[in-house]
Amino acid sequence: MPPRPPLILDLDGGVLPLPNARSMALPQWHDPLRFACSHATLARFADEVLAPLPAQLGTVMLGSGDFHHLSLPLLRRLRPQPRFQLVVLDNHPDNMRFPLGMHCGSWVNAASKLTQISHVHVLGITSSDIGLGHAWENHWRPLLGGKLTYWCMDVDVGWGRRAGLARAFRRFEHPDALVAAFAAEQARAPQPTYLSIDKDVFGEDVARSNWDQGRFQLDDALVVIESLRAGGLVGSDITGEVSLAHYQSRFKRWLSSLDGQPEVGAEDLPAWQAQHQQVNRELLAAIATVPTAC
């Protein structure tokens, strides 16, 4: 069966044209969804935009990493059987507390509660979000319950061991060691996978984003993708594009400022987006070689 074409959910103009991709223009959803939204807004998006789509989709392009929480409704629409693992490439855990709805940095906790997901692996974290200073902001339940594993570098996560969370933290000195260990684990016990890639996992030399960035090179992501071949994919999405955000909501402007997102200069945008376009092509080509899980 030929791979399904990518689907661009064009919320912010961040995704440049891609081979064989279908694009849905959704500018009216930019402000309601970007960065954070209410549970009701997310449910309305799922009903009005995602529900009419075919059950099986190609890789979904979500635009800026500010939309990463849209992975959650994409996961919810998948069949509960067979169960599958969720593999997230991200410089952040996306498992942080956010009491005001759903945030691009909080969705993994909600995903970990889905019965169709056997385990969540977040690979490539270098963010201080999982350090001692932010320990209380992480949702501990999926970590304690053995449902979520952080694969990380550069962060002192000794607090996790002291808190009884040692098995939830896999710390490495270099991306090569991290992806090799993950690939070896997948080889021992392959299973169907949903793959979600936030390109802030990459170093700035690979693709510039509007978030603090990790240390992965493109080859590290390709090793991870290759390691998923035996189990196959039930779905995938890519986010982390760079785009300009001019929030109409003063509240969202304030929330964004708290996370220290750097300003993106309009003069830099074309070159940065072209860089992302090439990375997207290579990621999509690799994902297309992974069989669809039955």
Side-chain angles (χ1 to χ4, degrees):
M1 178 184 297
R4 298 180 181 90
L7 172 64
I8 301 172
L9 299 183
D10 189 7
L11 297 146
D12 63 347
V15 183
L16 297 189
L18 293 166
N20 304 315
R22 173 192 174 195
S23 184
M24 296 178 64
L26 300 167
Q28 71 276 21
W29 288 97
H30 175 275
D31 273 23
L33 291 175
R34 189 161 189 163
F35 195 67
C37 63
S38 68
H39 294 292
T41 297
L42 193 63
R44 187 163 58 88
F45 177 79
D47 289 343
E48 295 181 14
V49 177
L50 300 183
L53 296 174
Q56 300 296 322
L57 300 172
T59 300
V60 182
M61 311 298 296
L62 300 175
S64 165
D66 296 350
F67 295 106
H68 205 173
H69 47 303
L70 300 187
S71 296
L72 182 61
L74 290 171
L75 289 163
R76 284 173 170 161
R77 71 195 299 273
L78 294 175
R79 293 178 302 173
Q81 294 296 331
R83 298 182 79 207
F84 56 88
Q85 64 180 349
L86 169 61
V87 175
V88 184
L89 275 57
D90 203 311
N91 190 45
H92 307 87
D94 287 5
N95 180 46
M96 310 302 279
R97 300 182 188 278
F98 185 72
L100 304 175
M102 190 58 62
H103 183 277
C104 58
S106 73
W107 68 275
V108 162
N109 176 60
S112 73
K113 298 175 182 177
L114 298 178
T115 57
Q116 60 263 48
I117 293 178
S118 58
H119 195 86
V120 183
H121 298 277
V122 184
L123 279 65
I125 304 170
T126 69
S127 167
S128 62
D129 284 352
I130 62 171
L132 178 61
H134 296 278
W136 67 273
E137 296 176 60
N138 286 256
H139 284 278
W140 285 28
R141 180 166 294 182
L143 298 166
L144 283 168
K147 191 75 178 284
L148 171 62
T149 302
Y150 292 159
W151 298 69
C152 60
M153 300 168 286
D154 301 345
V155 189
D156 182 355
V157 291
W159 70 269
R161 182 182 64 256
R162 295 189 294 274
L165 302 172
R167 65 175 178 167
F169 291 83
R170 303 285 301 276
R171 188 180 184 280
F172 301 84
E173 297 301 322
H174 194 275
D176 287 352
L178 188 157
V179 299
F182 179 77
E185 183 172 300
Q186 293 301 301
R188 287 192 298 270
Q191 60 179 302
T193 300
Y194 186 99
L195 175 65
S196 181
I197 301 175
D198 186 336
K199 285 176 290 178
D200 70 14
V201 76
F202 294 121
E204 291 185 357
D205 59 318
V206 180
R208 295 287 296 269
S209 82
N210 62 320
W211 288 91
D212 55 296
Q213 296 191 229
R215 293 174 55 197
F216 268 34
Q217 293 296 299
L218 182 58
D219 282 349
D220 298 313
L222 299 183
V223 170
V224 172
I225 294 169
E226 176 64 23
S227 76
L228 305 177
R229 286 180 58 84
L233 289 177
V234 300
S236 55
D237 64 59
I238 298 175
T239 185
E241 311 299 322
V242 62
S243 65
L244 301 179
H246 301 293
Y247 297 110
Q248 295 181 10
S249 163
R250 182 180 301 175
F251 178 63
K252 283 198 175 183
R253 291 197 297 270
W254 174 73
L255 279 179
S256 177
S257 69
L258 292 180
D259 271 321
Q261 288 182 281
E263 290 289 332
V264 179
E267 67 280 2
D268 296 320
L269 195 61
W272 290 8
Q273 288 186 333
Q275 187 184 35
H276 277 272
Q277 184 184 40
Q278 182 57 37
V279 172
N280 287 338
R281 287 173 175 158
E282 297 194 47
L283 291 173
L284 289 169
I287 290 170
T289 68
V290 182
T292 300
C294 297

